[in-house]
Amino acid sequence: MTFEHKSVLLEETVNGLNIKPDGIYVDGTLGGGGHAFEVCKQLSDKGSFIGIDQDEAAIEAAGIRLRDFGEKVTIVRSNYCDMKSQLQKLGIDKVDGIVLDLGVSSYQLDTAERGFSYRVDVPLDMRMDRRQEMTAKDIVNTYSEMELYRIIRDYGEDKFAKNIAKHIVLERARGSIETTGQLIEVIKRAIPMKFQKNGGHPVKRTFQAIRIELNKELDVLRDSLDEMIDMLNENGRICIITFHSLEDRIVKSIFRRNENPCTCPSHFPVCVCGNESKGKVITRKPILPSADELEYNSRSKSAKLRIFERC
């Protein structure tokens, strides 16, 4: 199966980078190379592009898509949390723009054996990086009831989290939960039928929660953002596309803190903490997909783009 992913908010993101033809740009979630291709088209022979992804299929697909750009493109298999060290290996300390598209790719969702989708019955996997040993099956079968409740409540924001966790533990006492199909049946039994008819697929939130926990998605984002902002050159920009409220909240909060890091009490007449602003938030409100994009790409529905500029 070819790696396909309709790049969400493509034009808005590329425009948001305010690209300098001779600049250095990084995509920390390279995917199939959709955003990358549009960025590379605007770079001169002096410009550079570095694409980072932990998914082997993405690396292969992007390599094919970007091959015509020759030596201006470098592709690295890694997690974007290691962006600084990976760039230092290439002799790069500062960059002019960074892109993160935090969505699961269409390829990952549609490739059944990856275990991200709840539409087919396959082994529980959900690893973004298949070199990782731990899988979704390990979380479902080894986490305590309290731990399962916590991740489904916090990462899935599911009001039936407690009951779902309880049903998972009861089911696995009878035998290991091995497949997406088995897990789906357990979750459905935990949610009252009248609530299953509204608000999308009843297992969507639990699958999301397990995926986030397994791949440490929120931790990686939270721990990496300040460092990425520090890596930007003067007037360099970071564009981040999020797909659910937890991600968006982290990005919004960290962008605001970097714009206004002062910790002095509000009644102080002048700042004495010494914390200096690192730049400005370009998007006071997030940029959302257009009506046209929503029509041809339903997966863009929950996407939000936020942009920060280094000063």
Side-chain angles (χ1 to χ4, degrees), residues 3-133:
F3 195 111
E4 291 184 14
H5 180 56
K6 294 176 182 173
S7 297
V8 173
L9 291 162
L10 179 59
E11 187 177 334
E12 294 88 342
T13 302
V14 176
N15 288 342
L17 283 171
N18 206 13
I19 292 172
K20 301 168 186 161
D22 296 347
I24 301 172
Y25 292 86
V26 185
D27 189 334
T29 51
L30 183 59
H35 289 105
F37 188 85
E38 296 303 319
V39 172
C40 289
K41 282 201 305 190
Q42 296 189 37
L43 295 180
S44 71
D45 291 338
K46 294 179 182 177
S48 299
F49 178 87
I50 300 92
I52 300 172
D53 206 291
Q54 56 188 336
D55 191 309
E56 186 178 21
I59 293 289
E60 186 179 342
I64 294 168
R65 189 166 191 176
L66 303 175
R67 61 188 169 194
D68 290 346
F69 295 107
E71 293 184 358
K72 75 172 70 168
V73 173
T74 303
I75 297 177
V76 180
R77 187 178 181 189
S78 185
N79 189 301
Y80 69 78
C81 67
D82 297 320
M83 186 181 293
K84 184 175 182 178
S85 62
Q86 291 295 339
L87 291 179
Q88 285 176 338
K89 287 178 187 176
L90 299 170
I92 298 168
D93 288 320
K94 296 284 186 178
V95 300
D96 297 291
I98 297 171
V99 175
L100 294 181
D101 174 352
L102 301 176
V104 180
S105 73
S106 304
Y107 168 84
Q108 289 166 329
L109 287 170
D110 295 338
T111 305
E113 64 266 23
R114 298 299 295 268
F116 287 104
S117 176
Y118 37 79
R119 306 197 186 282
V120 281
D121 186 15
V122 294
L124 282 164
D125 192 329
M126 301 194 197
R127 291 172 295 172
M128 296 281 195
D129 186 342
R130 300 185 88 174
R131 295 172 297 184
Q132 177 182 319
E133 289 186 14

Side-chain angles (χ1 to χ4, degrees), residues 143-206:
Y143 273 35
S144 69
E145 185 174 335
M146 185 54 70
E147 286 173 318
L148 288 169
Y149 165 57
R150 175 188 60 80
I151 67 167
I152 297 167
R153 178 197 65 194
D154 293 351
Y155 299 163
E157 299 178 295
D158 196 310
K159 61 184 175 183
F160 298 106
K162 201 172 190 69
N163 209 30
I164 293 168
K166 177 183 171 184
H167 275 71
I168 288 173
V169 171
L170 287 171
E171 179 65 26
R172 75 188 193 199
R174 291 191 278 267
S176 178
I177 301 171
E178 301 278 333
T179 70
T180 54
Q182 284 177 275
L183 182 58
I184 287 166
E185 291 307 310
V186 175
I187 297 167
K188 282 182 174 179
R189 289 199 294 271
I191 300 175
M193 186 56 70
K194 66 179 180 179
F195 291 101
Q196 293 190 30
K197 294 174 182 176
N198 302 313
H201 200 291
V203 308
K204 180 180 179 180
R205 292 175 181 274
T206 299

